[in-house]
Amino acid sequence: QSVLTQPPSVSAAPGQKVTISCSGSSSNIGNNDVSWYQQLPGTAPKLLIYESSERPSGIPDRFSGSKSGTSATLGITGLQTGDEADYYCGTWDSSLTTVLFGGGTKLTVL
Amino acid sequence: EVHLVESGGGSVQRGGSLSLSCAASGFPFSNFWMTWVRQAPGRGLEWVANINQDGSGKYYADSMKGRFTISRDNAKNSVYLHMSSLRAEDTAVYYCARIGYKSCGLDYWGQGTLVTVSS
C-alpha cells in the first residue's frame, strides 16, 4: 500500500477533461513539490509535471498540475486515445528520507 | 540529447548477486543526482536508491538497505546498482533516471533492464 494515494482508475470520453488526485501527508506533499509521470504501455515513465505545476518543454498545455495542502492533482483536458496510460505522482518524504510514488492511476479514454 | 542506457539485467537464482549499469550521455553527468527505480511485472513504480553528485551521499529504500549498493563513476558517466541476496520479489524492470528537479523530480529515464530472480 502506497503512502501516496491515487485512484486505481479513471475514465472519460475523448475531448473531455479528467483529474487524477494524489493524497499524502505533511512530511511529503505538504512540504515538498510533486511530480507526475505518464507511462504508456510497454514504455518507461515520462515526466509530465514537475515542481507541482510546471511542464517540461514538449509537454502540451492540456496537462496541468496543482497542489493544495497535502494533496496534488493532475488535470488532462481535450482527452485523446493516445492519453491512455498509467499516471503516477511522486515526491520526496522528508521524514522517511525516501522517494515516494503513488500506486498509479490507469486512464481509460472511452 | 540526454540518453540513459541501462545494462546488466538477466536471470539470477535466489540468493545470488547481479550488478546493473547505466551509461549517461548528453548532459554534465557530475552535476546531477541519479536514482534507480524498479517496477515489478504488472505493478507500480518503486524507488530503489539515490546518489548525489560526487557519490558521497546515498539513500536507499528500506527493503533494499544492506542488500543493494548504488555507486557512480563520474569519469565514465555511469551509475551502478549492485544487488545481492536477491529474492523473488526483486524481479522487476530496473530504470535509472536523472533527478532534474526539486523533491526528486525525475526528468529523464532509461529504457529499463529486466532482472528475473528464480528459485
Side-chain angles (χ1 to χ4, degrees):
Chain A
Q1 199 145 352
S2 303
V3 175
L4 302 182
T5 302
Q6 295 182 234
S9 62
V10 295
S11 62
Q16 297 300 303
K17 173 183 177 178
V18 71
T19 60
I20 298 172
S21 60
C22 176
S23 178
S25 68
S26 59
S27 64
N28 42 71
I29 294 178
N31 281 287
N32 292 289
D33 287 307
V34 177
S35 299
W36 288 93
Y37 306 92
Q38 177 193 59
Q39 187 175 32
L40 297 169
T43 70
K46 172 185 175 182
L47 181 67
L48 281 181
I49 299 290
Y50 67 94
E51 293 174 13
S52 302
S53 60
E54 301 296 318
R55 279 178 288 106
S57 61
I59 301 300
D61 59 7
R62 300 188 299 108
F63 296 90
S64 64
S66 63
K67 190 186 88 163
S68 178
T70 59
S71 293
T73 301
L74 174 69
I76 311 173
T77 60
L79 278 170
Q80 303 172 1
T81 55
D83 296 331
E84 286 201 334
D86 293 322
Y87 293 82
Y88 296 90
C89 59
T91 189
W92 175 253
D93 190 295
S94 305
S95 295
L96 299 174
T97 60
T98 62
V99 176
L100 298 176
F101 291 104
T105 299
K106 183 175 182 61
L107 168 64
T108 301
V109 181
L110 302 168
Chain B
E1 187 180 359
V2 173
H3 281 291
L4 298 170
V5 179
E6 301 94 338
S7 60
S11 294
V12 61
Q13 288 201 322
R14 186 179 56 190
S17 300
L18 199 64
S19 288
L20 306 181
S21 300
C22 172
S25 61
F27 66 99
F29 180 72
S30 61
N31 288 359
F32 288 86
W33 284 67
M34 298 294 294
T35 191
W36 287 94
V37 174
R38 71 183 185 183
Q39 186 171 35
R43 305 294 297 272
L45 302 176
E46 181 182 23
W47 173 67
V48 174
N50 285 356
I51 189 167
N52 70 353
Q53 291 93 331
D54 66 4
S56 62
K58 303 173 186 181
Y59 295 90
Y60 297 91
D62 283 347
S63 61
M64 284 66 150
K65 283 179 186 174
R67 300 190 304 124
F68 289 13
T69 302
I70 189 172
S71 61
R72 67 190 295 161
D73 185 337
N74 287 343
K76 295 183 177 180
N77 287 351
S78 293
V79 60
Y80 308 99
L81 185 68
H82 178 69
M83 306 179 292
S84 62
S85 302
L86 283 163
R87 309 164 180 164
E89 54 265 36
D90 294 319
T91 294
V93 174
Y94 285 74
Y95 296 101
C96 74
R98 187 180 86 168
I99 301 176
Y101 297 106
K102 291 189 293 183
S103 304
C104 294
L106 309 181
D107 57 350
Y108 289 96
W109 297 64
Q111 84 288 350
T113 187
L114 176 63
V115 173
T116 303
V117 182
S118 61
S119 54

